[in-house]
Amino acid sequence: MKRIVSLKLNGRPVEDIIPDNLLLLDYLRERQALTSVKKGCDSGECGACTVLIDGRPRLACITLAASCENSEIETVDAQAKNGVLSPLQRAFHENLGTQCGFCTPGMIMAAEGLLRDNPNPDETEIKTALGGNLCRCTGYVKIIKSVQIAAAESRQ
């Protein structure tokens, strides 16, 4: 069965006819060409597909696109404005929070969700917020440092 879904995607209104069983991950990557949303484990275990739905981090690989009716979806693509990296993107880049980069979009979106709710998180809160995002390249030290620096810069 198919349905018409209306939502806001990275700040722009979108209306599409989609099958009821289409995953948000596949919708974003295949229909909207947003390949920054990574397909990792396909089972909600790695966090590579993390996006914000109505400002909250969610896993696109276990979310049906049809369930996003009237929601606002944000991907890492919308974080930079007019070619200028967001504080989180810049902090990840400057502090080597990005290794191979595969997990980075999901990490940044999980961190963005955290900082919107809590602009002054401590290290434990950052670790908890990123707990569902796996990185096989690093020990997370530079990722956590990047979030701390972005939080500090955003408060200034």
PDB file of all heavy atoms in Angstrom, residues 78-113:
ATOM      1  N   ALA A  78      21.992  19.684   6.437  1.00  0.00           N
ATOM      2  CA  ALA A  78      21.393  20.980   6.751  1.00  0.00           C
ATOM      3  C   ALA A  78      22.136  21.716   7.860  1.00  0.00           C
ATOM      4  O   ALA A  78      21.750  22.825   8.225  1.00  0.00           O
ATOM      5  CB  ALA A  78      19.940  20.790   7.154  1.00  0.00           C
ATOM      6  N   GLN A  79      23.189  21.134   8.387  1.00  0.00           N
ATOM      7  CA  GLN A  79      23.870  21.771   9.511  1.00  0.00           C
ATOM      8  C   GLN A  79      24.732  22.952   9.071  1.00  0.00           C
ATOM      9  O   GLN A  79      24.765  23.969   9.751  1.00  0.00           O
ATOM     10  CB  GLN A  79      24.709  20.744  10.268  1.00  0.00           C
ATOM     11  CG  GLN A  79      23.869  19.620  10.865  1.00  0.00           C
ATOM     12  CD  GLN A  79      22.752  20.134  11.744  1.00  0.00           C
ATOM     13  OE1 GLN A  79      23.001  20.793  12.741  1.00  0.00           O
ATOM     14  NE2 GLN A  79      21.507  19.866  11.360  1.00  0.00           N
ATOM     15  N   ALA A  80      25.412  22.833   7.954  1.00  0.00           N
ATOM     16  CA  ALA A  80      26.200  23.964   7.445  1.00  0.00           C
ATOM     17  C   ALA A  80      25.246  24.979   6.818  1.00  0.00           C
ATOM     18  O   ALA A  80      24.255  24.611   6.186  1.00  0.00           O
ATOM     19  CB  ALA A  80      27.207  23.479   6.411  1.00  0.00           C
ATOM     20  N   LYS A  81      25.527  26.242   7.018  1.00  0.00           N
ATOM     21  CA  LYS A  81      24.697  27.312   6.457  1.00  0.00           C
ATOM     22  C   LYS A  81      25.557  28.188   5.557  1.00  0.00           C
ATOM     23  O   LYS A  81      26.612  28.669   5.979  1.00  0.00           O
ATOM     24  CB  LYS A  81      24.094  28.178   7.578  1.00  0.00           C
ATOM     25  CG  LYS A  81      23.310  27.391   8.613  1.00  0.00           C
ATOM     26  CD  LYS A  81      21.978  26.918   8.075  1.00  0.00           C
ATOM     27  CE  LYS A  81      21.171  26.275   9.183  1.00  0.00           C
ATOM     28  NZ  LYS A  81      20.469  25.107   8.811  1.00  0.00           N
ATOM     29  N   ASN A  82      25.103  28.352   4.335  1.00  0.00           N
ATOM     30  CA  ASN A  82      25.806  29.186   3.357  1.00  0.00           C
ATOM     31  C   ASN A  82      27.286  28.812   3.236  1.00  0.00           C
ATOM     32  O   ASN A  82      28.152  29.684   3.169  1.00  0.00           O
ATOM     33  CB  ASN A  82      25.654  30.675   3.701  1.00  0.00           C
ATOM     34  CG  ASN A  82      24.210  31.107   3.707  1.00  0.00           C
ATOM     35  OD1 ASN A  82      23.440  30.696   2.832  1.00  0.00           O
ATOM     36  ND2 ASN A  82      23.825  31.893   4.690  1.00  0.00           N
ATOM     37  N   GLY A  83      27.559  27.521   3.253  1.00  0.00           N
ATOM     38  CA  GLY A  83      28.927  27.051   3.097  1.00  0.00           C
ATOM     39  C   GLY A  83      29.783  27.122   4.348  1.00  0.00           C
ATOM     40  O   GLY A  83      30.970  26.810   4.300  1.00  0.00           O
ATOM     41  N   VAL A  84      29.192  27.536   5.463  1.00  0.00           N
ATOM     42  CA  VAL A  84      29.929  27.637   6.724  1.00  0.00           C
ATOM     43  C   VAL A  84      29.536  26.458   7.608  1.00  0.00           C
ATOM     44  O   VAL A  84      28.346  26.235   7.863  1.00  0.00           O
ATOM     45  CB  VAL A  84      29.616  28.968   7.450  1.00  0.00           C
ATOM     46  CG1 VAL A  84      30.331  29.036   8.786  1.00  0.00           C
ATOM     47  CG2 VAL A  84      30.003  30.146   6.570  1.00  0.00           C
ATOM     48  N   LEU A  85      30.537  25.708   8.055  1.00  0.00           N
ATOM     49  CA  LEU A  85      30.279  24.547   8.897  1.00  0.00           C
ATOM     50  C   LEU A  85      29.608  24.964  10.200  1.00  0.00           C
ATOM     51  O   LEU A  85      29.880  26.043  10.737  1.00  0.00           O
ATOM     52  CB  LEU A  85      31.586  23.818   9.213  1.00  0.00           C
ATOM     53  CG  LEU A  85      32.341  23.200   8.035  1.00  0.00           C
ATOM     54  CD1 LEU A  85      33.644  22.572   8.524  1.00  0.00           C
ATOM     55  CD2 LEU A  85      31.490  22.177   7.302  1.00  0.00           C
ATOM     56  N   SER A  86      28.772  24.089  10.715  1.00  0.00           N
ATOM     57  CA  SER A  86      28.166  24.328  12.034  1.00  0.00           C
ATOM     58  C   SER A  86      29.271  24.213  13.080  1.00  0.00           C
ATOM     59  O   SER A  86      30.340  23.649  12.816  1.00  0.00           O
ATOM     60  CB  SER A  86      27.082  23.286  12.299  1.00  0.00           C
ATOM     61  OG  SER A  86      27.674  22.021  12.575  1.00  0.00           O
ATOM     62  N   PRO A  87      29.038  24.720  14.289  1.00  0.00           N
ATOM     63  CA  PRO A  87      30.052  24.561  15.341  1.00  0.00           C
ATOM     64  C   PRO A  87      30.462  23.100  15.561  1.00  0.00           C
ATOM     65  O   PRO A  87      31.642  22.811  15.762  1.00  0.00           O
ATOM     66  CB  PRO A  87      29.361  25.147  16.581  1.00  0.00           C
ATOM     67  CG  PRO A  87      28.409  26.154  16.026  1.00  0.00           C
ATOM     68  CD  PRO A  87      27.908  25.551  14.731  1.00  0.00           C
ATOM     69  N   LEU A  88      29.501  22.184  15.507  1.00  0.00           N
ATOM     70  CA  LEU A  88      29.848  20.769  15.683  1.00  0.00           C
ATOM     71  C   LEU A  88      30.684  20.248  14.517  1.00  0.00           C
ATOM     72  O   LEU A  88      31.692  19.560  14.725  1.00  0.00           O
ATOM     73  CB  LEU A  88      28.580  19.921  15.813  1.00  0.00           C
ATOM     74  CG  LEU A  88      28.037  19.740  17.211  1.00  0.00           C
ATOM     75  CD1 LEU A  88      26.637  19.149  17.181  1.00  0.00           C
ATOM     76  CD2 LEU A  88      28.967  18.867  18.038  1.00  0.00           C
ATOM     77  N   GLN A  89      30.294  20.567  13.307  1.00  0.00           N
ATOM     78  CA  GLN A  89      31.065  20.107  12.148  1.00  0.00           C
ATOM     79  C   GLN A  89      32.493  20.656  12.212  1.00  0.00           C
ATOM     80  O   GLN A  89      33.459  19.925  11.969  1.00  0.00           O
ATOM     81  CB  GLN A  89      30.383  20.554  10.853  1.00  0.00           C
ATOM     82  CG  GLN A  89      29.095  19.825  10.570  1.00  0.00           C
ATOM     83  CD  GLN A  89      28.352  20.430   9.398  1.00  0.00           C
ATOM     84  OE1 GLN A  89      28.188  21.649   9.294  1.00  0.00           O
ATOM     85  NE2 GLN A  89      27.891  19.561   8.495  1.00  0.00           N
ATOM     86  N   ARG A  90      32.610  21.935  12.532  1.00  0.00           N
ATOM     87  CA  ARG A  90      33.939  22.552  12.605  1.00  0.00           C
ATOM     88  C   ARG A  90      34.775  21.917  13.715  1.00  0.00           C
ATOM     89  O   ARG A  90      35.953  21.614  13.530  1.00  0.00           O
ATOM     90  CB  ARG A  90      33.805  24.060  12.816  1.00  0.00           C
ATOM     91  CG  ARG A  90      35.129  24.804  12.667  1.00  0.00           C
ATOM     92  CD  ARG A  90      35.005  26.318  12.785  1.00  0.00           C
ATOM     93  NE  ARG A  90      34.385  26.722  14.035  1.00  0.00           N
ATOM     94  CZ  ARG A  90      33.146  27.190  14.167  1.00  0.00           C
ATOM     95  NH1 ARG A  90      32.390  27.345  13.112  1.00  0.00           N
ATOM     96  NH2 ARG A  90      32.664  27.520  15.344  1.00  0.00           N
ATOM     97  N   ALA A  91      34.153  21.681  14.878  1.00  0.00           N
ATOM     98  CA  ALA A  91      34.881  21.072  15.996  1.00  0.00           C
ATOM     99  C   ALA A  91      35.336  19.651  15.649  1.00  0.00           C
ATOM    100  O   ALA A  91      36.470  19.269  15.968  1.00  0.00           O
ATOM    101  CB  ALA A  91      34.007  21.067  17.250  1.00  0.00           C
ATOM    102  N   PHE A  92      34.484  18.883  15.009  1.00  0.00           N
ATOM    103  CA  PHE A  92      34.890  17.530  14.586  1.00  0.00           C
ATOM    104  C   PHE A  92      36.063  17.619  13.619  1.00  0.00           C
ATOM    105  O   PHE A  92      37.028  16.856  13.722  1.00  0.00           O
ATOM    106  CB  PHE A  92      33.716  16.785  13.926  1.00  0.00           C
ATOM    107  CG  PHE A  92      32.890  15.987  14.883  1.00  0.00           C
ATOM    108  CD1 PHE A  92      32.062  16.602  15.805  1.00  0.00           C
ATOM    109  CD2 PHE A  92      32.922  14.604  14.858  1.00  0.00           C
ATOM    110  CE1 PHE A  92      31.297  15.866  16.700  1.00  0.00           C
ATOM    111  CE2 PHE A  92      32.163  13.847  15.733  1.00  0.00           C
ATOM    112  CZ  PHE A  92      31.340  14.477  16.653  1.00  0.00           C
ATOM    113  N   HIS A  93      35.999  18.552  12.676  1.00  0.00           N
ATOM    114  CA  HIS A  93      37.070  18.691  11.690  1.00  0.00           C
ATOM    115  C   HIS A  93      38.379  19.149  12.354  1.00  0.00           C
ATOM    116  O   HIS A  93      39.432  18.546  12.135  1.00  0.00           O
ATOM    117  CB  HIS A  93      36.646  19.690  10.610  1.00  0.00           C
ATOM    118  CG  HIS A  93      37.715  20.009   9.632  1.00  0.00           C
ATOM    119  ND1 HIS A  93      38.170  19.083   8.718  1.00  0.00           N
ATOM    120  CD2 HIS A  93      38.446  21.138   9.446  1.00  0.00           C
ATOM    121  CE1 HIS A  93      39.127  19.641   8.001  1.00  0.00           C
ATOM    122  NE2 HIS A  93      39.313  20.882   8.416  1.00  0.00           N
ATOM    123  N   GLU A  94      38.319  20.183  13.147  1.00  0.00           N
ATOM    124  CA  GLU A  94      39.533  20.777  13.717  1.00  0.00           C
ATOM    125  C   GLU A  94      40.161  19.925  14.815  1.00  0.00           C
ATOM    126  O   GLU A  94      41.350  20.045  15.075  1.00  0.00           O
ATOM    127  CB  GLU A  94      39.218  22.173  14.266  1.00  0.00           C
ATOM    128  CG  GLU A  94      38.883  23.164  13.166  1.00  0.00           C
ATOM    129  CD  GLU A  94      38.449  24.516  13.683  1.00  0.00           C
ATOM    130  OE1 GLU A  94      38.287  24.691  14.913  1.00  0.00           O
ATOM    131  OE2 GLU A  94      38.250  25.414  12.843  1.00  0.00           O
ATOM    132  N   ASN A  95      39.378  19.081  15.474  1.00  0.00           N
ATOM    133  CA  ASN A  95      39.896  18.294  16.597  1.00  0.00           C
ATOM    134  C   ASN A  95      40.008  16.806  16.283  1.00  0.00           C
ATOM    135  O   ASN A  95      40.105  15.988  17.187  1.00  0.00           O
ATOM    136  CB  ASN A  95      39.009  18.534  17.826  1.00  0.00           C
ATOM    137  CG  ASN A  95      39.055  19.982  18.234  1.00  0.00           C
ATOM    138  OD1 ASN A  95      40.063  20.439  18.751  1.00  0.00           O
ATOM    139  ND2 ASN A  95      37.983  20.712  17.941  1.00  0.00           N
ATOM    140  N   LEU A  96      39.957  16.499  15.002  1.00  0.00           N
ATOM    141  CA  LEU A  96      40.132  15.124  14.521  1.00  0.00           C
ATOM    142  C   LEU A  96      39.083  14.171  15.081  1.00  0.00           C
ATOM    143  O   LEU A  96      39.352  12.991  15.305  1.00  0.00           O
ATOM    144  CB  LEU A  96      41.546  14.623  14.814  1.00  0.00           C
ATOM    145  CG  LEU A  96      42.677  15.511  14.288  1.00  0.00           C
ATOM    146  CD1 LEU A  96      44.022  14.957  14.703  1.00  0.00           C
ATOM    147  CD2 LEU A  96      42.592  15.683  12.784  1.00  0.00           C
ATOM    148  N   GLY A  97      37.877  14.695  15.290  1.00  0.00           N
ATOM    149  CA  GLY A  97      36.768  13.841  15.703  1.00  0.00           C
ATOM    150  C   GLY A  97      36.290  12.970  14.557  1.00  0.00           C
ATOM    151  O   GLY A  97      35.546  12.020  14.751  1.00  0.00           O
ATOM    152  N   THR A  98      36.730  13.307  13.382  1.00  0.00           N
ATOM    153  CA  THR A  98      36.391  12.534  12.192  1.00  0.00           C
ATOM    154  C   THR A  98      37.576  11.663  11.829  1.00  0.00           C
ATOM    155  O   THR A  98      38.667  12.163  11.633  1.00  0.00           O
ATOM    156  CB  THR A  98      36.095  13.481  11.010  1.00  0.00           C
ATOM    157  OG1 THR A  98      35.049  14.352  11.388  1.00  0.00           O
ATOM    158  CG2 THR A  98      35.708  12.714   9.781  1.00  0.00           C
ATOM    159  N   GLN A  99      37.346  10.378  11.758  1.00  0.00           N
ATOM    160  CA  GLN A  99      38.421   9.486  11.306  1.00  0.00           C
ATOM    161  C   GLN A  99      38.124   9.125   9.854  1.00  0.00           C
ATOM    162  O   GLN A  99      38.371   9.922   8.989  1.00  0.00           O
ATOM    163  CB  GLN A  99      38.495   8.261  12.223  1.00  0.00           C
ATOM    164  CG  GLN A  99      38.851   8.631  13.655  1.00  0.00           C
ATOM    165  CD  GLN A  99      40.262   9.171  13.784  1.00  0.00           C
ATOM    166  OE1 GLN A  99      41.200   8.546  13.336  1.00  0.00           O
ATOM    167  NE2 GLN A  99      40.409  10.332  14.396  1.00  0.00           N
ATOM    168  N   CYS A 100      37.531   7.973   9.601  1.00  0.00           N
ATOM    169  CA  CYS A 100      37.197   7.652   8.214  1.00  0.00           C
ATOM    170  C   CYS A 100      35.980   8.451   7.752  1.00  0.00           C
ATOM    171  O   CYS A 100      35.745   8.600   6.565  1.00  0.00           O
ATOM    172  CB  CYS A 100      36.946   6.157   8.035  1.00  0.00           C
ATOM    173  SG  CYS A 100      35.313   5.598   8.592  1.00  0.00           S
ATOM    174  N   GLY A 101      35.194   8.944   8.686  1.00  0.00           N
ATOM    175  CA  GLY A 101      34.042   9.776   8.371  1.00  0.00           C
ATOM    176  C   GLY A 101      32.728   9.046   8.238  1.00  0.00           C
ATOM    177  O   GLY A 101      31.681   9.683   8.162  1.00  0.00           O
ATOM    178  N   PHE A 102      32.745   7.729   8.246  1.00  0.00           N
ATOM    179  CA  PHE A 102      31.505   6.989   8.038  1.00  0.00           C
ATOM    180  C   PHE A 102      30.503   7.231   9.161  1.00  0.00           C
ATOM    181  O   PHE A 102      29.326   7.445   8.912  1.00  0.00           O
ATOM    182  CB  PHE A 102      31.781   5.483   7.898  1.00  0.00           C
ATOM    183  CG  PHE A 102      30.570   4.720   7.474  1.00  0.00           C
ATOM    184  CD1 PHE A 102      30.207   4.663   6.135  1.00  0.00           C
ATOM    185  CD2 PHE A 102      29.775   4.084   8.404  1.00  0.00           C
ATOM    186  CE1 PHE A 102      29.070   3.974   5.733  1.00  0.00           C
ATOM    187  CE2 PHE A 102      28.640   3.392   8.018  1.00  0.00           C
ATOM    188  CZ  PHE A 102      28.291   3.340   6.674  1.00  0.00           C
ATOM    189  N   CYS A 103      30.967   7.241  10.386  1.00  0.00           N
ATOM    190  CA  CYS A 103      30.052   7.422  11.518  1.00  0.00           C
ATOM    191  C   CYS A 103      29.779   8.885  11.828  1.00  0.00           C
ATOM    192  O   CYS A 103      28.874   9.194  12.610  1.00  0.00           O
ATOM    193  CB  CYS A 103      30.622   6.745  12.761  1.00  0.00           C
ATOM    194  SG  CYS A 103      32.082   7.578  13.444  1.00  0.00           S
ATOM    195  N   THR A 104      30.568   9.784  11.243  1.00  0.00           N
ATOM    196  CA  THR A 104      30.515  11.195  11.619  1.00  0.00           C
ATOM    197  C   THR A 104      29.140  11.836  11.451  1.00  0.00           C
ATOM    198  O   THR A 104      28.688  12.542  12.370  1.00  0.00           O
ATOM    199  CB  THR A 104      31.591  11.988  10.854  1.00  0.00           C
ATOM    200  OG1 THR A 104      32.868  11.395  11.130  1.00  0.00           O
ATOM    201  CG2 THR A 104      31.613  13.438  11.286  1.00  0.00           C
ATOM    202  N   PRO A 105      28.439  11.656  10.341  1.00  0.00           N
ATOM    203  CA  PRO A 105      27.115  12.299  10.246  1.00  0.00           C
ATOM    204  C   PRO A 105      26.174  11.885  11.378  1.00  0.00           C
ATOM    205  O   PRO A 105      25.487  12.730  11.954  1.00  0.00           O
ATOM    206  CB  PRO A 105      26.588  11.833   8.888  1.00  0.00           C
ATOM    207  CG  PRO A 105      27.816  11.554   8.087  1.00  0.00           C
ATOM    208  CD  PRO A 105      28.791  10.981   9.085  1.00  0.00           C
ATOM    209  N   GLY A 106      26.157  10.604  11.710  1.00  0.00           N
ATOM    210  CA  GLY A 106      25.310  10.143  12.804  1.00  0.00           C
ATOM    211  C   GLY A 106      25.763  10.687  14.148  1.00  0.00           C
ATOM    212  O   GLY A 106      24.954  11.057  14.994  1.00  0.00           O
ATOM    213  N   MET A 107      27.088  10.735  14.356  1.00  0.00           N
ATOM    214  CA  MET A 107      27.621  11.293  15.607  1.00  0.00           C
ATOM    215  C   MET A 107      27.226  12.759  15.737  1.00  0.00           C
ATOM    216  O   MET A 107      26.807  13.207  16.816  1.00  0.00           O
ATOM    217  CB  MET A 107      29.149  11.195  15.625  1.00  0.00           C
ATOM    218  CG  MET A 107      29.699   9.817  15.744  1.00  0.00           C
ATOM    219  SD  MET A 107      29.747   9.305  17.449  1.00  0.00           S
ATOM    220  CE  MET A 107      30.650   7.774  17.261  1.00  0.00           C
ATOM    221  N   ILE A 108      27.387  13.511  14.661  1.00  0.00           N
ATOM    222  CA  ILE A 108      27.073  14.942  14.705  1.00  0.00           C
ATOM    223  C   ILE A 108      25.579  15.153  14.977  1.00  0.00           C
ATOM    224  O   ILE A 108      25.196  16.015  15.779  1.00  0.00           O
ATOM    225  CB  ILE A 108      27.530  15.643  13.412  1.00  0.00           C
ATOM    226  CG1 ILE A 108      29.063  15.734  13.423  1.00  0.00           C
ATOM    227  CG2 ILE A 108      26.884  17.027  13.266  1.00  0.00           C
ATOM    228  CD1 ILE A 108      29.680  16.302  12.166  1.00  0.00           C
ATOM    229  N   MET A 109      24.724  14.347  14.374  1.00  0.00           N
ATOM    230  CA  MET A 109      23.293  14.534  14.602  1.00  0.00           C
ATOM    231  C   MET A 109      22.899  14.133  16.025  1.00  0.00           C
ATOM    232  O   MET A 109      22.053  14.787  16.637  1.00  0.00           O
ATOM    233  CB  MET A 109      22.480  13.774  13.559  1.00  0.00           C
ATOM    234  CG  MET A 109      22.705  14.274  12.136  1.00  0.00           C
ATOM    235  SD  MET A 109      22.628  16.074  11.946  1.00  0.00           S
ATOM    236  CE  MET A 109      20.884  16.376  12.213  1.00  0.00           C
ATOM    237  N   ALA A 110      23.507  13.086  16.552  1.00  0.00           N
ATOM    238  CA  ALA A 110      23.233  12.709  17.946  1.00  0.00           C
ATOM    239  C   ALA A 110      23.708  13.819  18.885  1.00  0.00           C
ATOM    240  O   ALA A 110      23.010  14.190  19.837  1.00  0.00           O
ATOM    241  CB  ALA A 110      23.909  11.380  18.281  1.00  0.00           C
ATOM    242  N   ALA A 111      24.892  14.373  18.606  1.00  0.00           N
ATOM    243  CA  ALA A 111      25.424  15.458  19.430  1.00  0.00           C
ATOM    244  C   ALA A 111      24.579  16.727  19.278  1.00  0.00           C
ATOM    245  O   ALA A 111      24.347  17.451  20.257  1.00  0.00           O
ATOM    246  CB  ALA A 111      26.882  15.731  19.057  1.00  0.00           C
ATOM    247  N   GLU A 112      24.110  16.997  18.081  1.00  0.00           N
ATOM    248  CA  GLU A 112      23.251  18.164  17.854  1.00  0.00           C
ATOM    249  C   GLU A 112      21.970  18.049  18.693  1.00  0.00           C
ATOM    250  O   GLU A 112      21.537  19.016  19.320  1.00  0.00           O
ATOM    251  CB  GLU A 112      22.910  18.287  16.364  1.00  0.00           C
ATOM    252  CG  GLU A 112      21.998  19.440  16.014  1.00  0.00           C
ATOM    253  CD  GLU A 112      22.627  20.817  16.169  1.00  0.00           C
ATOM    254  OE1 GLU A 112      23.863  20.917  16.129  1.00  0.00           O
ATOM    255  OE2 GLU A 112      21.863  21.779  16.353  1.00  0.00           O
ATOM    256  N   GLY A 113      21.388  16.863  18.706  1.00  0.00           N
ATOM    257  CA  GLY A 113      20.198  16.651  19.531  1.00  0.00           C
ATOM    258  C   GLY A 113      20.491  16.884  21.010  1.00  0.00           C
ATOM    259  O   GLY A 113      19.701  17.506  21.720  1.00  0.00           O
TER     260      GLY A 113
END
